[in-house]
Amino acid sequence: MIKKNLRTHILLFLFTFLTLTFKGDLFIGIFQFEWRQMLEIFRIEWSYSLSLITILLCHEMGHYLPARYYGVKATLPYFIPFPLGPIGTMGAVIQIKEPIPDKIKLFDIGVGGPVMSLVLSVPSWLLGLSLSELVPITVSSDQHEFLIFGDSLFTYWTSQWIFGAHDPNLFMIESHPLARAGWVGLIITAINLLPFGQLDGGHIIYSMFGEKYRKWIYYLFLSFLILSFFNFTWLVWGFLIYFFIKIEHPFVPDHSFQRLGKKRIFLGSFMLISFIFIFVPAPLSIGSELDAPNLLEYFFGW
């Protein structure tokens, strides 16, 4: 049984590496045997897939290792391949197989993942950005098919720092694969830091504020839903959180005699503040959507 489960983890890992590298072109190699084209794609994309799968692996091990340290049963990471779309994966997950005994252990298990992915995604983004090119958008260029990776405060400021002051409406960044891996790692970290339910941010904020957070967490969720007026992505996430992930965290008892302490409070606060800087209000869009009205404009004409 253990060997069978290990085989599943390894196969999902390998298949996810392939979908990260080839994405939808994976089917070309399988069914049309365009091996030269596949080798060229691999030459270009291997740094993206290797970097991102490392970020995902370290994120999940940031949960898995503290869980095993505290004697909490947990599975190895399950990677989720997704050969459609521009990213190539839907992330990775581990499964906690038993209740977490107290809030200190909950905090350590919850915070480890986003700390690891943040620490790895930032240098991947910065190094990749330094290898990218800033090119002008010409009047004749057709932007309707452009895939646009949205900016967070962090990615906007760092791109302005590395390339110098420029107008994103007049220039576009031709991203190096390392930069794309860093961008995806940052947005995965940000989504996991949403402060709801069983997401990492939910673990962190519940551990820090305890049961009293239930008095205001629904107001925070309503504030989050305001984002859906500007980008439909967050309406989908609001649906997933409300019906599946849940808004409130399940009850976990306090530690019998120990508090979180200043170091954990500082680390939790740092991660929640970092969420503000790496959160992307409009993650992905295509050029044809730029002039389309958002929900606020559609319903209210604003």
Side-chain angles (χ1 to χ4, degrees):
M1 184 67 178
I2 294 176
K3 288 184 178 180
K4 182 180 178 181
N5 288 339
L6 183 60
R7 192 181 305 122
T8 300
H9 293 291
I10 293 172
L11 288 174
L12 285 173
F13 177 87
L14 294 174
F15 190 41
T16 301
F17 180 81
L18 290 176
T19 58
L20 284 170
T21 305
F22 300 107
K23 304 173 186 67
D25 292 325
L26 183 62
F27 298 113
I28 296 175
I30 294 174
F31 298 112
Q32 298 183 18
F33 303 103
E34 297 286 348
W35 299 115
R36 288 185 179 178
Q37 181 179 343
M38 299 300 286
L39 287 173
E40 179 62 16
I41 293 172
F42 182 82
R43 183 188 68 80
I44 296 170
E45 291 293 318
W46 72 267
S47 57
Y48 166 79
S49 49
L50 182 61
S51 302
L52 185 52
I53 207 163
T54 300
I55 291 169
L56 292 173
L57 176 62
C58 291
H59 179 105
E60 296 307 323
M61 295 308 286
H63 298 310
Y64 176 80
L65 293 177
R68 294 305 301 267
Y69 174 80
Y70 286 124
V72 177
K73 293 180 181 178
T75 67
L76 288 168
Y78 289 97
F79 288 83
I80 308 172
F82 190 69
L84 306 176
I87 293 176
T89 182
M90 294 184 72
V93 296
I94 68 168
Q95 185 179 5
I96 302 294
K97 306 287 283 187
E98 61 182 343
I100 297 175
D102 59 68
K103 288 188 177 70
I104 288 181
K105 296 178 178 62
L106 176 68
F107 179 89
D108 290 350
I109 293 169
V111 80
V115 165
M116 291 302 299
S117 55
L118 182 66
V119 165
L120 292 174
S121 298
V122 167
S124 177
W125 165 256
L126 293 175
L127 178 59
L129 202 60
S130 69
L131 298 172
S132 302
E133 292 185 37
L134 186 70
V135 296
I137 300 174
T138 62
V139 177
S140 59
S141 60
D142 183 9
Q143 300 181 47
H144 282 72
E145 299 302 319
F146 285 0
L147 180 64
I148 299 167
F149 289 78
D151 267 325
S152 63
L153 291 173
F154 174 76
T155 58
Y156 176 78
W157 288 339
T158 50
S159 64
Q160 293 287 324
W161 168 54
I162 289 177
F163 292 114
H166 62 276
D167 186 347
N169 295 313
L170 301 177
F171 293 87
M172 65 176 292
I173 298 171
E174 289 188 351
S175 300
H176 187 275
L178 268 177
R180 285 190 281 115
W183 184 91
V184 175
L186 287 169
I187 197 168
I188 287 173
T189 304
I191 288 172
N192 275 281
L193 283 173
L194 288 171
F196 306 115
Q198 297 276 30
L199 292 169
D200 299 340
H203 297 322
I204 294 169
I205 203 167
Y206 174 62
S207 300
M208 291 174 63
F209 292 95
E211 300 307 318
K212 60 186 178 183
Y213 105 120
R214 302 186 192 278
K215 297 178 181 179
W216 46 263
I217 191 62
Y218 282 92
Y219 295 110
L220 192 60
F221 180 69
L222 289 174
S223 301
F224 167 73
L225 288 180
I226 293 173
L227 291 170
S228 64
F229 284 104
F230 301 95
N231 191 274
F232 185 75
T233 300
W234 304 118
L235 184 62
V236 175
W237 271 101
F239 176 86
L240 292 173
I241 290 168
Y242 186 83
F243 288 103
F244 299 102
I245 298 171
K246 303 301 181 183
I247 299 172
E248 292 189 46
H249 196 284
F251 174 77
V252 175
D254 292 324
H255 193 279
S256 55
F257 61 88
Q258 189 178 357
R259 296 180 179 272
L260 281 187
K262 292 182 179 179
K263 292 181 179 179
R264 287 188 176 92
I265 294 294
F266 174 82
L267 178 59
S269 301
F270 174 81
M271 293 307 296
L272 294 175
I273 292 171
S274 71
F275 164 78
I276 298 171
F277 291 95
I278 65 173
F279 180 78
V280 182
L284 282 172
S285 57
I286 57 175
S288 58
E289 296 175 348
L290 292 178
D291 297 325
N294 56 43
L295 290 179
L296 199 63
E297 293 168 332
Y298 183 82
F299 285 112
F300 301 106
W302 294 356

